[in-house]
Amino acid sequence: MLLRPLPLFPLRPLLDRIVLAVAEKHPRLFRRLGEHSQKIYAIAPTDLPLVFVLQPDPEYPILEPERNLEDVSYDALVSGPFMKLMDLVEGRLDGDAMFFSRDLTIEGDTEAVLALRNALDDIDGNIVDDIVESLGILSLPARQAVVCYRKLRARASNDA
Amino acid sequence: MTPDTALPELICPAGTPASLRSAVDAGADAVYCGFANETNARNFPGLNFGKEELAESIQHAHNKGAKVLVAINTFPQAGRTCLWKSSVDDAVEIGADALIVADIGLAAYVHRTHPDMRLHLSVQASASSPDTINYYRQRFDIKRVVLPRVLTLPEIAAINKEIDCETEVFVFGGLCVMAEGRCSLSSYATGKSPNMSGVCSPASHVRYEQNAVGDMTSRLGDFVINRFSKDEPAGYPTICKGRYKVDGKAAYIFEEPTSLNAVQMLPDLLKAGVTALKIEGRQRSRAYVAEVVSAFREAIDDHMGGRTPDLQRLIALTEGGRQTAGAYRKTWR
């Protein structure tokens, strides 16, 4: 919870850039959601003091940070440890298995969550790499952080 | 010692084009999938294939030496049979290697309209006796039957002796202990039929609620299906896998949340005359598909090479974190 004192406003342009880049690079992703592309998804990492709010409209996608879940009016809530959520987005983990093990919690519109999970799972390549590339001058440190994380993850996996 | 049985075909699930490619890359001999509509039994949001996507995917699979089996395995709704027939025509047009059907009228349509098309009888047809299978074989020239998940090994062996078509059995994934294609539990709770609309426990009717201490309640429609304590492994929100109070005691009265894993029975299944081994899970992710398919590819190759397969690593992907040999080693009758 060390991040709590940090303001959220520097995150807003970054998240804007990320969601627009993902929509542009993977035009089929949000279209695959059909009616669910107009839903509001709250994505709440259980180990971070913020909530990501996503509206995956194919034309005007929105991704914003919020401090408190109570301030968000959402259709569906997805929560879990941040790195596991990223592994899910990357297609490295199986959402059902995460749900069975209780690493992933969902509330609200289950159909919308399922649609988003299925659409994300159809992405070829690595969406985390796409996100890193979209960060402009922050790409380099972000890439280093991701490389570092993947090494740690691989080591943890080998140790298991 | 190497076995004297034929090499089985490994049949793998795909809910998206990316999953299909993962399955092929991981060693699938054939992939089964369906159109994004009510004609297939995994009609979930964001899942399945458009005609163009499926055409591209079939091409990809063929380039890699794998087959694509298209499941059109729900029962056509009265007055709307054209959707099922046009899906058959589309699948034939784009080069599917076989169609998996359950409905007798649709089987007749395929046999009459596309006589050269290979037909498989879906598990949804619940064909569990030689007489039934032989009827489909004689009338519609089905080449393979997918057997229901309620048969024992001796029963499968006995069936194979009395039929002259191939048999395919499930070896991993979700279990269904009902008379498949005839179960109305989900329809009763939601008004949507798994057999006619392809949605067992439709997500639109599923709700999960957490309380302050982390316990989770799952609901289907108006019915509470289960309550899981904070760290207890969860299962799918189907009525058959719900936990209900009987005489004041909560219990899984139909079926526990657990996955089938028949890898240890591979030699017995092949000796029983089974041709193809099927992995369940078109609703699962490409990560699941890649992991399970590669593990089973290895297991089959180990078995055929006279080595002992080990698939304990798959436990993390199972429902409720538990696995069973299911009806193959039936002890409850």
Side-chain angles (χ1 to χ4, degrees), chain A residues 95-154:
Chain A
D96 285 11
M98 285 176 69
F99 172 77
F100 296 151
S101 64
R102 309 290 297 277
D103 284 326
L104 187 72
T105 300
I106 59 179
E107 287 183 64
D109 189 334
T110 310
E111 189 173 55
V113 176
L114 199 58
L116 181 62
R117 192 282 305 263
N118 290 336
L120 276 170
D121 201 55
D122 190 39
I123 286 185
D124 270 326
N126 193 312
I127 198 168
V128 171
D129 289 339
D130 297 337
I131 291 171
V132 167
E133 290 308 312
S134 73
L135 293 178
I137 57 167
L138 293 176
S139 286
L140 187 61
R143 194 176 302 119
Q144 286 170 338
V146 169
V147 168
C148 186
Y149 166 65
R150 284 177 180 159
K151 277 184 185 164
L152 286 172
R153 183 176 60 194

Side-chain angles (χ1 to χ4, degrees), chain A residues 32 94 96 102 110 121 124, chain B residues 21 48 206 236 284 286:
Chain A
R32 202 174 176 88
D94 177 65
D96 285 11
R102 309 290 297 277
T110 310
D121 201 55
D124 270 326
Chain B
R21 288 189 287 276
N48 297 315
V206 173
Y236 283 123
R284 302 293 292 263
R286 63 192 152 113

Side-chain angles (χ1 to χ4, degrees), chain A residues 61-92:
Chain A
I62 296 168
L63 181 62
E64 292 177 334
E66 285 290 344
R67 182 64 74 199
N68 300 307
L69 184 60
E70 295 73 29
D71 299 334
V72 182
S73 173
Y74 59 82
D75 295 294
L77 167 66
V78 181
S79 51
F82 180 70
M83 288 306 181
K84 293 222 169 182
L85 291 173
M86 292 307 287
D87 283 346
L88 186 63
V89 168
E90 240 184 328
R92 293 183 52 88

Side-chain angles (χ1 to χ4, degrees), chain B residues 89-109:
Chain B
D89 298 340
D90 286 346
V92 172
E93 182 193 327
I94 60 181
D97 294 283
L99 301 183
I100 308 170
V101 303
D103 180 65
I104 205 164
L106 201 62
Y109 175 78

Side-chain angles (χ1 to χ4, degrees), chain B residues 185-202:
Chain B
L185 284 175
S186 183
S187 308
Y188 177 74
T190 70
K192 287 192 169 182
S193 164
N195 310 319
M196 298 173 78
S197 307
V199 277
C200 178
S201 288

Side-chain angles (χ1 to χ4, degrees), chain B residues 16-45:
Chain B
T16 62
S19 281
L20 183 142
R21 288 189 287 276
S22 292
V24 170
D25 291 345
D29 294 309
V31 179
Y32 66 102
C33 52
F35 288 113
N37 58 35
E38 293 163 289
T39 64
N40 88 84
R42 285 286 183 271
N43 179 26
F44 294 139

